[in-house]
Amino acid sequence: MTDQLRRQVTLDEVAERAGVSRSAASRVINNAPHVSKAKRDAVQRAVSDLGYVPNATARALATQQVGAVVLAISSDNSQVFTDPFFAEVAVGVNSVLEETELELVLQLATSTRGQTRLEQVLRTRQADGVMLMSMHGDDPLAQIAENSDVPVVFGGCPVGFEPRYYVDADNRGGARLATEHLVAIGRTRIATITGRMDEGAGTARYKGYQDALAVAGLDASRVVYADFSEESGGRAMEQLLADHPDLDAVFVASDQMAISAMRVLKDSGRTIPGDVAVVGFNDVVLARHTEPPLSTVSQPIQSLGREMARMLLALIAGESPTPLILPTRLVRRASS
């Protein structure tokens, strides 16, 4: 068979011979930056050994870059960007991306139209990469993201689904620390206000509360389910006081909800921490300025954003980073 009739070697075959991903092989062939020397050398050897010749049209398409990455919040709460947690995440993401040529685009998928727009980004590569946060257990975007050709990093793990690439905090361990603290200061009737049970952080923090009370041999039935919003925290505290007026402590799954819960406690005539000790989660700036200052579980929120951005840049560069869990710690203030 003549050389002209010989079957053309594919990019997949080059990647397999080099022992790298298809995207890494593509970046080497297109002389893209951010590829390790070892991978570049392996791909170049495979190209030489196999006699690979890039298709000119495909090469032109492969080198096209949008020049932007998306930070997307998949939520049905239109007030989500007023949450200081997401604001700090965005600051962390931007601090990494501002050192690159990539532009950061914030997208809030709160409606059907917003979800459809984000799905189009994932299906048609309208961005160089996507960071997804606040995913719900039944959110179809999770599977669409996993199967997309666009590099995707998850902020947190969706319920019942572990993505390939994600950055998360030790939510369960942090909630356990908070509840153990309440036990250690002598509280025995400890309630909790949860986050959303269709989000990974919500379920993990509830399990941490249960873990600590199980070890202490205490009742873990004083529970009201909420959704992380400030309004839901106040409503949940009212419900707890109606159902369990003898409670002497409450672990609240977010600082926003905890701040609202403290207002309800004061309005009901309870003192903090005398009658009811309160611990939140996240350690946003406002937690230091409540009256009394709020004890909380600190997670490195800006670091979460920074690590998500770094992981996404690694994926864009053709690397295969491993998932990352960031530590949490208890910050004790006057509310407990």
Side-chain angles (χ1 to χ4, degrees):
M1 184 178 293
T2 65
D3 289 343
Q4 286 78 11
L5 296 178
R6 186 178 302 151
R7 181 182 67 82
Q8 185 174 3
V9 176
T10 68
L11 180 61
D12 287 326
E13 289 172 316
V14 171
E16 183 178 0
R17 171 68 70 90
V20 301
S21 68
R22 189 180 191 279
S23 61
S26 175
R27 292 187 67 80
V28 172
I29 290 166
N30 291 300
N31 199 31
H34 309 305
V35 181
S36 69
K37 184 178 185 303
K39 286 184 178 181
R40 192 176 295 278
D41 290 345
V43 171
Q44 290 171 343
R45 283 196 300 270
V47 167
S48 177
D49 292 346
L50 297 174
Y52 175 76
V53 178
N55 176 279
T57 301
R59 181 167 184 164
L61 290 172
T63 55
Q64 289 181 352
Q65 289 189 328
V66 178
V69 296
V70 174
L71 173 60
I73 314 296
S74 180
S75 172
D76 53 14
N77 178 9
S78 61
Q79 304 300 312
V80 69
F81 274 143
T82 66
D83 187 330
F85 171 83
F86 290 109
E88 290 195 47
V89 169
V91 169
V93 169
N94 188 66
S95 69
V96 172
L97 293 182
E98 67 183 4
E99 302 298 325
T100 74
E101 298 301 316
L102 293 168
E103 181 180 349
L104 176 61
V105 177
L106 299 177
Q107 186 166 345
L108 183 57
T110 59
S111 63
T112 300
R113 185 176 180 181
Q115 292 268 339
T116 300
R117 186 180 297 115
L118 183 53
E119 183 177 335
Q120 288 176 337
V121 170
L122 291 167
R123 291 191 186 279
T124 61
R125 203 176 181 97
Q126 296 175 17
D128 295 311
V130 175
M131 291 162 282
L132 280 176
M133 297 196 72
S134 196
M135 300 296 291
H136 305 154
D138 59 351
D139 196 327
L141 283 172
Q143 286 298 337
I144 293 171
E146 278 293 275
N147 297 324
S148 172
D149 289 334
V150 178
V152 177
V153 171
F154 285 74
C157 284
V159 174
F161 168 68
E162 184 172 346
R164 286 172 293 177
Y165 307 108
Y166 67 88
V167 181
D168 204 355
D170 183 10
N171 291 291
R172 186 168 183 168
R176 186 171 58 247
L177 283 174
T179 311
E180 287 173 344
H181 162 63
L182 292 171
V183 173
I185 63 173
R187 306 305 165 107
T188 58
R189 300 179 298 279
I190 304 170
T192 189
I193 297 173
T194 78
R196 293 184 62 139
M197 289 293 98
D198 60 351
E199 290 185 15
T203 57
R205 292 174 195 180
Y206 179 42
K207 288 177 181 176
Y209 162 82
Q210 291 177 310
D211 292 343
L213 291 191
V215 171
L218 296 175
D219 179 17
S221 66
R222 298 176 178 88
V223 180
V224 174
Y225 301 95
D227 63 9
F228 287 123
S229 69
E230 182 177 353
E231 295 79 7
S232 74
R235 291 193 301 268
M237 193 69 249
E238 290 172 351
Q239 187 64 52
L240 278 174
L241 290 175
D243 295 342
H244 308 283
D246 64 337
L247 65 85
D248 60 7
V250 58
F251 163 61
V252 190
S254 79
D255 289 345
Q256 270 198 304
M257 294 195 298
I259 291 168
S260 183
M262 288 171 68
R263 285 198 294 266
V264 170
L265 286 168
K266 290 178 182 179
D267 290 345
S268 73
R270 266 74 165 189
T271 60
I272 305 170
D275 295 324
V276 181
V278 181
V279 180
F281 201 111
N282 284 334
D283 196 22
V284 298
V285 173
L286 285 175
R288 305 164 203 171
H289 302 291
T290 56
E291 182 54 46
L294 177 65
S295 294
T296 186
V297 175
S298 176
Q299 62 170 321
I301 304 175
Q302 289 193 25
S303 291
L304 181 70
R306 286 193 293 270
E307 295 303 333
M308 287 170 58
R310 287 170 181 153
M311 186 174 289
L312 187 64
L313 291 177
L315 287 173
I316 293 171
E319 301 173 14
S320 297
T322 57
L324 180 63
I325 304 292
L326 301 176
T328 53
R329 62 185 179 88
L330 178 69
V331 178
R332 184 176 179 181
R333 299 192 178 105
S335 70
S336 64

